[in-house]
Amino acid sequence: MKTKRILIVLACLLASVLAKAQQQQMTPEQEEKKIRENIEQMVLKYEESLNLEVWQTFYVDSILTHNYTSLMEESRALAANKVENYDLYQIISDKWEENTYNAFQKVLDEEQWKKYLKQGAARAKKNRDVRAAKREKKK
């Protein structure tokens, strides 16, 4: 009797895990839609917090769209080649985050740039620089 209960519980757990795994696998269209939604949320956040002009909003949206699309393409290429080295994914991520950082610096005025840095961009830049220095040191 106890064994039957345990088997039933295990079967239910297995079914729920399998169902969740199927939900997590998205089609490329769903993945693209999710990325676009995240970019739109970030643009709205920057638009409100940095008081962006219309032309700045356009550039921020374009920068984020290009850089995140490129990041995803490079990450997919690594995954397709079955690369499991986390450092390679981190290098790609750092590269595109650095591109975003540099592009935003050109688009934002001085006051907006200060706000952007205070929102965490300065800390992220410092972390990228530390990781880059460690990589250089290993060479």
Side-chain angles (χ1 to χ4, degrees), residues 4-136:
K4 277 186 177 181
R5 286 184 190 168
I6 292 173
L7 288 175
I8 291 172
V9 169
L10 287 175
C12 290
L13 285 173
L14 181 61
S16 68
V17 167
L18 291 174
K20 186 167 179 96
Q22 284 180 339
Q23 287 177 344
Q24 289 178 347
Q25 291 181 351
M26 294 188 278
T27 65
E29 294 82 21
Q30 291 171 324
E31 202 173 281
E32 187 71 33
K33 183 179 177 185
K34 185 73 172 170
I35 291 168
R36 187 66 217 155
E37 288 172 359
N38 290 337
I39 290 171
E40 287 174 4
Q41 288 174 354
M42 288 192 312
V43 169
L44 286 174
K45 178 188 139 210
Y46 288 136
E47 191 175 34
E48 292 173 3
S49 65
L50 302 174
N51 299 318
L52 298 178
E53 301 288 331
V54 173
W55 67 271
Q56 289 174 312
T57 301
F58 172 79
Y59 278 111
V60 165
D61 182 59
S62 298
I63 291 164
L64 291 174
T65 300
H66 174 266
N67 290 350
Y68 278 100
T69 301
S70 299
L71 169 66
M72 293 306 296
E73 286 173 3
E74 288 189 33
S75 296
R76 283 186 195 124
L78 285 180
N81 290 321
K82 299 187 183 342
V83 174
E84 294 181 6
N85 186 346
Y86 171 76
D87 291 337
L88 293 176
Y89 289 94
Q90 187 67 56
I91 290 168
I92 291 171
S93 178
D94 285 351
K95 175 180 103 175
W96 288 107
E97 285 180 27
E98 187 69 21
N99 285 350
T100 300
Y101 179 88
N102 292 329
F104 277 19
Q105 191 171 17
K106 295 174 185 174
V107 172
L108 302 177
D109 65 29
E110 195 174 317
E111 191 64 34
Q112 291 167 329
W113 182 249
K114 288 178 186 176
K115 285 181 185 178
Y116 175 69
L117 292 175
K118 286 181 182 178
Q119 290 176 354
R123 186 178 318 112
K125 169 73 170 148
K126 182 180 176 184
N127 292 339
R128 283 193 306 275
D129 291 345
V130 167
R131 286 190 296 269
K134 284 181 182 178
R135 284 191 296 269
E136 285 298 316

